[in-house]
Amino acid sequence: MTGAQRTILHADMDAFYVSVELRRRPDLAGKPVVVGGTGPRGVVAAASYEARRFGVHSALPSAVARRRCPHAVFLPGDHELYGEVSGQVHEVFGRFTPVIEPLALDEAFLDVTGARRLFGDGATIAHEIRRAIRDELDLGCSVGVATNKFLAKLASVDAKPTASPAGIEPGPGVFVIEHDEAQRYLDRLPVGRLWGVGPKTLEKLERIGVRTVRDLRGIDPPSLAAALGRSQADHLSALAVGADDREVESDRDAKSIGHEETYPHDKFTHEELSTELVRLADAVGRRLRDHGVGARTWTLKIRFSGFVTITRSTTTRDSVDDGFTIVELLRPLLEAIDPSPGVRLLGVSGSNLGEPTTQLSFDDLLTESGSDDLAGSEGSPKTGASDRAAATEALDSIRRRFGDGSIGPASAVRRGRLSTVRRGAQQWGPDQEERANDQEPPRPR
DNA sequence: TCTGGGGTCCTTGTGCGA
DNA sequence: TCTGTCGCACAAGGACCC
């Protein structure tokens, strides 16, 4: 067991998206409320504890949720608002410590080791944070307190309310795992509670007779390594004794940036997919430029109608941050794919992030094919690297002045209006409106 | 029941140069 | 010259997290 001297908090908002919605719809308090995708391919992002009683939980297909809880109120979700409120929550955290590692909009690790002299022990700080978030933001928050991140995260689960068909049990709000109690606490847990044990790993562990953390601690290392591989075996063995010396990192840099979209109806032609590629590439390029970085490795992700997912990637010498070049890099990969089984999702992401160079190498320039899509006019002359840089700069400045929807790739104009990609706009699947507008294309033979 | 979007990390296979 | 191998980078996929 390590890190006895540190005090780590894991703060996790209770049914965050639903709670934010209830602030503007107080009439829904006490009712089953579900936030998420409203379309046929949507999923649940958050469910109120009243809805959870009926077996509705996050990541459940919305269609299933409707069947399980037909009387629930379904809301489409407002990612932008949740982001704003998340900022307010983090402002509260910041009053207690500058060492905050956000994990998602609704949760974060806080290292309050240095704050104990000023505010009291971990439990006292946790209660103060909860009180401030409740009084000032009208939101519920559960906090786990322990000596490392792994244990603090486990503790926050025990701090939370629980819902079952029998009813809703309020949680304690703050749950502390004392250093000398950690092993006893861990031993009684099912292995599925460990960070990194999902359905597949759980199956492998059960096959070798490991069901609880105590079982895991008792198994001989070679057997565990044979079942899971060296790296994962070492990782889980450490967690089984509560060892986790990871720091709370307040300034983690992103390692990849991307966008992906599931379509209300499968797409069957390169022409349709090419249009989507341009939109996605444009959006990812903009986000890279916002972050002041470029990417060297570009990955195209395709999910077919049968849910089989493939990725194709390419790495360039220079890092790229403009939509023109991204399209040029990924289009050959797209064209090598047969879309005839039906494509339900297309994704574009850049990794290997670094200083943007954008200038193509000599070899790139020799083979440059000149993507015209972002220039906007059919049959326009081939664009060079400097033209693209100028066009990209012009696009950005127009968008800054007139808004996101003011200008974009010509091929992204759908039904007379510009179709833009905004981060989180369809976080939980294509919505109803999109489905209504998106006419089902004839399926090729 | 039929499966989103944004990520991270790990494993395996392959190609290539030393 | 041929072959083996080692390390590295890259490509692709899988598992997992929220």
Side-chain angles (χ1 to χ4, degrees):
Chain A
M1 195 80 54
T2 59
Q5 71 285 6
R6 293 191 298 160
T7 301
I8 309 297
L9 269 50
H10 178 251
D12 196 354
M13 306 300 291
D14 301 335
F16 181 56
Y17 303 148
V18 170
S19 305
V20 173
E21 293 296 341
L22 290 186
R23 298 197 315 179
R24 54 182 178 186
R25 292 285 306 275
D27 55 303
L28 296 179
K31 294 181 180 165
V33 177
V34 178
V35 170
T38 53
R41 286 178 168 176
V43 295
V44 172
S48 68
Y49 288 93
E50 290 78 7
R52 293 184 199 191
R53 288 185 61 194
F54 296 88
V56 176
H57 54 81
S58 59
L60 187 75
S62 299
V64 181
R66 280 181 202 279
R67 226 167 292 142
R68 287 190 187 172
C69 192
H71 57 295
V73 177
F74 286 78
L75 301 171
D78 183 343
H79 198 264
E80 205 168 308
L81 174 65
Y82 308 149
E84 271 172 39
V85 179
S86 173
Q88 294 161 4
V89 170
H90 283 82
E91 189 274 320
V92 172
F93 295 159
R95 293 178 206 165
F96 297 88
T97 174
V99 191
I100 303 166
E101 180 181 330
L103 287 181
L105 286 183
D106 63 338
E107 61 176 298
F109 285 117
L110 290 76
D111 187 335
V112 298
T113 308
R116 290 180 302 200
R117 280 184 66 178
L118 198 58
F119 298 104
D121 63 11
T124 307
I125 296 172
H127 282 291
E128 275 301 303
I129 288 173
R130 264 173 55 79
R131 189 195 53 73
I133 289 175
R134 186 188 58 228
D135 293 354
E136 297 172 31
L137 302 175
D138 196 20
L139 295 169
C141 174
S142 301
V143 186
V145 183
T147 53
N148 62 40
K149 285 160 75 166
F150 162 61
L151 292 170
K153 190 144 192 350
L154 286 177
S156 71
V157 175
D158 284 318
K160 282 195 164 300
T162 53
S164 69
I168 300 166
E169 286 290 320
V174 173
F175 190 89
V176 182
I177 300 177
E178 300 289 356
H179 178 59
D180 51 5
E181 283 294 313
Q183 195 61 66
R184 198 180 343 197
Y185 172 86
L186 284 170
D187 277 352
R188 63 180 173 80
L189 294 181
V191 274
R193 285 282 304 278
L194 297 186
W195 178 272
V197 179
K200 302 284 179 182
T201 308
L202 188 60
E203 206 182 303
K204 289 179 194 167
L205 287 170
E206 283 179 344
R207 226 177 285 147
I208 57 171
V210 173
R211 287 184 173 75
T212 65
V213 174
R214 182 191 289 274
D215 296 337
L216 181 64
R217 205 156 54 86
I219 196 163
D220 66 297
S223 304
L224 191 61
L228 303 179
R230 177 89 265 157
S231 169
Q232 201 178 13
D234 288 349
H235 167 72
L236 292 185
S237 297
L239 295 187
V241 294
D244 176 19
D245 55 6
R246 293 170 304 162
E247 298 292 327
V248 175
E249 294 179 69
S250 46
D251 48 2
R252 292 185 66 181
D253 288 332
K255 294 191 165 50
S256 66
I257 287 177
H259 275 299
E260 58 189 60
E261 256 183 39
T262 294
Y263 303 111
H265 300 291
D266 293 348
K267 300 194 182 293
F268 297 92
T269 65
H270 281 125
E271 195 189 354
E272 294 172 283
L273 291 170
S274 187
T275 302
E276 297 304 322
L277 172 64
V278 171
R279 292 176 59 239
L280 291 167
D282 179 49
V284 175
R286 282 172 57 202
R287 276 184 62 207
L288 286 169
R289 293 193 296 279
D290 286 347
H291 283 74
V293 293
R296 284 185 54 230
T297 300
W298 285 95
T299 304
L300 186 71
K301 177 173 171 180
I302 294 163
R303 177 167 291 153
F304 295 99
S305 59
F307 224 70
V308 171
T309 307
I310 61 167
T311 58
R312 294 292 180 264
S313 62
T314 181
T315 299
T316 58
R317 201 193 61 187
D318 296 323
S319 64
V320 168
D321 69 350
D322 75 282
F324 299 95
T325 314
I326 301 167
V327 168
E328 198 161 84
L329 290 167
L330 294 182
R331 182 168 280 153
L333 305 185
L334 177 63
E335 280 169 357
I337 304 289
D338 173 19
S340 64
V343 171
R344 62 179 290 146
L345 171 147
L346 193 68
V348 168
S349 75
S351 53
N352 244 326
L353 304 185
E355 289 279 306
T357 42
T358 299
Q359 305 300 334
L360 293 179
S361 68
F362 185 67
D363 287 344
D364 290 333
L365 289 168
L366 280 179
T367 55
E368 196 178 338
S369 63
S371 168
D372 299 333
D373 297 284
L374 291 159
S377 59
E378 275 183 37
S380 59
K382 289 189 174 190
T383 44
S386 59
D387 294 337
R388 296 172 208 198
T392 300
E393 229 177 278
L395 280 172
D396 285 348
S397 95
I398 291 169
R399 278 169 176 149
R400 273 194 296 273
R401 193 151 168 212
F402 300 107
D404 282 353
S406 58
I407 193 166
S411 56
V413 175
R414 287 194 203 159
R415 294 176 292 275
R417 70 182 169 86
L418 186 60
S419 172
T420 55
V421 178
R422 281 179 300 117
R423 187 174 189 223
Q426 288 189 1
Q427 182 91 29
W428 307 293
D431 59 24
Q432 288 284 20
E433 185 198 352
E434 184 73 9
R435 184 178 60 149
N437 288 338
D438 195 276
Q439 290 171 359
E440 190 160 7
R443 195 194 161 113
R445 286 175 291 114

